[in-house]
Amino acid sequence: SRPRKFVIFRLLGRCRNHSVRMGKAGQARQVFKTFGKSSKRSSGLVKTEGKQQATPAKLKKNIVPGSILILLAGRFRGRRVVFLKQLQSGLLLVTGPYAVNGVPLRRVNQRFCIATSTKVDLDASKFNSVTDAYFAREAGKKKGGKKDESTFFAMEAEKQGISDEKKAGQKSMDENIVKGLGADMKSYLKARFSLSANMYPHELKF
């Protein structure tokens, strides 16, 4: 049998090596054990009683109904539009009007537009019927099976543009705005915004 001192030395050496391999976090878990049910799910996420709804962004002070905005992104970037109201989602409802510069009713983020000091007469109450649901896409029918040339062209034919109801609504809403626009204002809305040589955005007054 081995001496008692040698056995104790070997045991202490093993404990030290074990602690080095485990690290401080492993030692703490071994020494301080937690009791009771965990509040975490199997995925590791903490349970929440209800889903928090995102608060809409606060509208800038210089943006009021009737203000002329310059779009900086998207399909109609560089176009001037008329601001109508802020929707519940926080996005801005704008229109060209479509009869003047070809910009239909759209939702834009106020980060991607410049507010100008130019304004037009506008009755905001006539646009209360337009909400975020107005821009929701209709759910298409899912078709199973492989796609060949015949099915592809059939799907292209089924694609429809804007409904007649929305076209009529766009026309009636724009009429109220176009009536109060003069010739100079119409030409201003038709013109695209662009920067030429020696023009700096931070030095311009909109």
Side-chain angles (χ1 to χ4, degrees):
S1 62
R2 295 182 179 181
R4 186 178 178 185
K5 290 184 179 179
F6 180 78
V7 174
I8 294 172
F9 177 76
R10 289 293 300 272
L11 290 172
L12 290 173
R14 288 179 181 177
C15 292
R16 286 174 187 171
N17 293 335
H18 183 61
S19 62
V20 170
R21 288 196 300 270
M22 288 176 63
K24 292 182 179 180
Q27 294 176 41
R29 280 198 297 271
Q30 274 202 338
V31 177
F32 304 103
K33 292 184 178 180
T34 56
F35 298 93
K37 294 182 179 180
S38 176
S39 62
K40 294 184 179 181
R41 299 179 185 176
S42 58
S43 61
L45 300 176
V46 180
K47 292 182 180 180
T48 54
E49 294 181 359
K51 190 177 181 181
Q52 296 180 354
Q53 294 182 352
T55 55
K58 190 177 180 180
L59 191 64
K60 294 179 182 178
K61 294 181 180 179
N62 56 349
I63 300 179
V64 295
S67 298
I68 304 297
L69 308 180
I70 300 172
L71 302 182
L72 302 178
R75 178 184 172 189
F76 298 100
R77 58 183 176 274
R79 288 289 187 185
R80 294 178 171 90
V81 294
V82 181
F83 169 66
L84 304 178
K85 68 173 185 177
Q86 186 179 24
L87 298 171
Q88 190 175 1
S89 61
L91 299 176
L92 309 184
L93 179 66
V94 299
T95 184
Y98 183 79
V100 177
N101 56 14
V103 181
L105 281 170
R106 290 180 67 82
R107 293 180 298 177
V108 297
N109 194 319
Q110 58 182 335
R111 289 184 179 182
F112 305 112
C113 59
I114 299 174
T116 66
S117 57
T118 310
K119 299 176 184 177
V120 299
D121 295 332
L122 183 70
D123 186 5
S125 62
K126 294 184 179 180
F127 304 97
N128 292 335
S129 59
V130 182
T131 60
D132 289 307
Y134 178 86
F135 299 95
R137 294 183 179 180
E138 296 179 358
K141 297 180 180 179
K142 293 183 179 180
K143 295 182 178 179
K146 296 182 179 180
K147 296 181 180 179
D148 54 2
E149 292 183 3
S150 59
T151 56
F152 175 77
F153 289 111
M155 289 172 65
E156 289 290 332
E158 287 180 3
K159 289 183 179 179
Q160 297 179 356
I162 301 173
S163 62
D164 295 335
E165 185 180 355
K166 288 187 177 181
K167 287 180 180 179
Q170 172 83 56
K171 189 174 181 180
S172 62
M173 292 179 194
D174 286 351
E175 282 180 357
N176 300 319
I177 303 173
V178 174
K179 286 179 181 178
L181 299 178
D184 295 339
M185 184 58 68
K186 287 182 180 179
S187 59
Y188 175 71
L189 290 171
K190 286 179 182 179
R192 278 182 176 270
F193 172 77
S194 61
L195 295 173
S196 59
N198 300 325
M199 287 179 64
Y200 305 100
H202 61 279
E203 294 180 355
L204 299 176
K205 291 184 178 180
F206 297 96

